[in-house]
Amino acid sequence: SLFMAAMLVVSISAHTLYTTIEQADNEQNALMQRSANLLTNLAITCASPLLTRDYGAVEKLLLLSANSRELRALKVFNRNGQMISQVIHAADKPPEAVFDILNVVPPTGPVTQFFWLDAQGKALDSGNPLWTAERLVIWRSLDEFGYPGSLQVEVSTEYLKANISNIIKDGLLAAILASTFSVTLLLIYLRRPIAAIRDSSKFASELTSKLGEKMPEYAGPEEIESLVEALNETSFWLYTQEMSVTAAKQRLEAVFSNISDALLTVNTDDMIESANNAACELFGWQEHELVGLSAAELLPEWASM
């Protein structure tokens, strides 16, 4: 029972762990996909104002796009890495355009690139933020739209971590509830067979004092049914044998007591164990007086016999 319960708990926990990890990965991928789609849509809408150098229109588009609670900054850079527009979205505050002079070196390579940064702004080696990433930075090239520059978005991982924490808590709760429910059902199911085995063991240990008695019939697992049936048959067989031996003993005692010849039973130590009526009359003693005496006391020639 304990082994089966443990296997149930391990199986449910393993499944819950796998599901939790999968959901956490889905949350991370969803964040990355949302941010990448935002940059793609923003690149399409900002391309025309950037080509005409209408930076006011670009700023308005950035302000409209920065309303997501997890988004922290949107920036536009030209081909030289010089920032030409920036919108900052602090936590619990509306997004606002901030003028700043900033020169960076945009990454080269794929059109869209993802970087997980820690609290010091250092890029992490792993693509999985775990619990060390403070923010996600995504770069999107604008070259395909005819503007030699890049878009950058900074996303806080605070809400991602909160969502993953909730997923873990829900997974643990689900595992505990499922394990408790499954183990309870298992114990309820095994309660009757275990009780039958316990009763069978007790009946077997008391079999010699309960000859002829029977256990209640059991309907359930075949092995326990066979055990109960075998114990009942054994009890009946032993009772029959006991009755046969008792009857034979009674017959023997009747013959022994009523035979006309004097009879004594003597053990290997020459001690008298029993005497019939004729022997008691012959020696003039009661049976209880004869029992325990040495045969030599009654028969002096006994030693030479």
Side-chain angles (χ1 to χ4, degrees):
S1 301
L2 291 175
F3 176 76
M4 293 176 66
M7 292 303 298
L8 271 175
V9 172
V10 170
S11 300
I12 293 172
S13 300
H15 176 73
T16 303
L17 177 63
Y18 171 79
T19 304
T20 301
I21 293 175
E22 188 176 33
Q23 289 180 340
D25 288 340
N26 290 339
E27 284 290 324
Q28 175 183 330
N29 294 333
L31 174 64
M32 297 171 66
Q33 189 61 48
R34 287 196 305 271
S35 302
N37 292 339
L38 171 66
L39 279 186
T40 299
N41 294 332
L42 194 58
I44 295 173
T45 55
C46 287
S48 180
L50 285 172
L51 289 173
T52 58
R53 296 188 179 183
D54 186 358
Y55 299 133
V58 172
E59 188 175 278
K60 290 179 181 180
L61 290 172
L62 294 182
L63 286 170
L64 290 173
S65 302
N67 287 319
S68 173
R69 65 174 186 172
E70 56 201 10
L71 192 146
R72 290 291 173 262
L74 278 172
K75 302 174 184 178
V76 181
F77 296 90
N78 60 19
R79 72 171 69 191
N80 298 319
Q82 182 180 5
M83 186 173 65
I84 58 178
S85 185
Q86 172 182 239
V87 169
I88 302 297
H89 185 194
D92 302 323
K93 292 182 179 180
E96 59 178 341
V98 178
F99 174 76
D100 195 5
I101 298 175
L102 179 64
N103 288 309
V104 299
V105 180
T108 58
V111 174
T112 303
Q113 298 189 53
F114 300 86
F115 299 93
W116 296 94
L117 307 181
D118 59 18
Q120 288 72 40
K122 181 180 178 181
L124 301 175
D125 295 334
S126 173
N128 191 334
L130 300 177
W131 301 103
T132 56
E134 186 73 18
R135 53 196 168 126
L136 170 64
V137 175
I138 307 175
W139 287 85
R140 176 65 161 81
S141 174
L142 296 172
D143 291 345
E144 62 179 304
F145 301 105
Y147 181 80
S150 303
L151 281 172
Q152 184 199 77
V153 61
E154 290 186 13
V155 181
S156 172
T157 59
E158 175 185 355
Y159 298 101
L160 174 63
K161 293 176 182 178
N163 290 339
I164 294 177
S165 296
N166 290 334
I167 290 173
I168 294 175
K169 292 177 183 178
D170 292 343
L172 288 174
L173 179 61
I176 292 173
L177 291 177
S179 298
T180 302
F181 180 73
S182 301
V183 171
T184 301
L185 286 181
L186 175 64
L187 294 179
I188 291 175
Y189 172 76
L190 292 176
R191 181 178 180 181
R192 185 166 169 266
I194 291 175
I197 294 174
R198 187 187 304 114
D199 293 341
S200 299
S201 177
K202 182 179 179 182
F203 183 81
S205 65
E206 300 174 351
L207 193 58
T208 55
S209 61
K210 293 184 177 181
L211 294 179
E213 296 186 15
K214 294 181 62 177
M215 290 186 63
E217 292 186 2
Y218 178 84
E222 183 179 351
E223 294 81 359
I224 301 180
E225 287 186 8
S226 301
L227 173 62
V228 172
E229 184 179 352
L231 286 174
N232 287 336
E233 290 179 355
T234 301
S235 176
F236 180 75
W237 183 84
L238 288 176
Y239 175 77
T240 303
Q241 296 299 314
E242 179 72 14
M243 291 300 99
S244 299
V245 171
T246 301
K249 183 178 180 181
Q250 290 175 346
R251 290 194 298 270
L252 181 61
E253 288 178 351
V255 172
F256 181 80
S257 298
N258 296 314
I259 197 168
S260 59
D261 294 330
L263 294 177
L264 298 172
T265 60
V266 182
N267 62 20
T268 56
D269 296 325
D270 295 337
M271 304 299 293
I272 299 173
E273 291 187 343
S274 64
N276 68 351
N277 294 331
C280 292
E281 292 177 1
L282 176 64
F283 294 104
W285 290 29
Q286 298 293 325
E287 182 181 5
H288 69 274
E289 294 174 329
L290 291 174
V291 173
L293 291 178
S294 172
E297 294 183 38
L298 294 179
L299 304 170
E301 66 276 12
W302 179 263
S304 61
M305 292 176 64

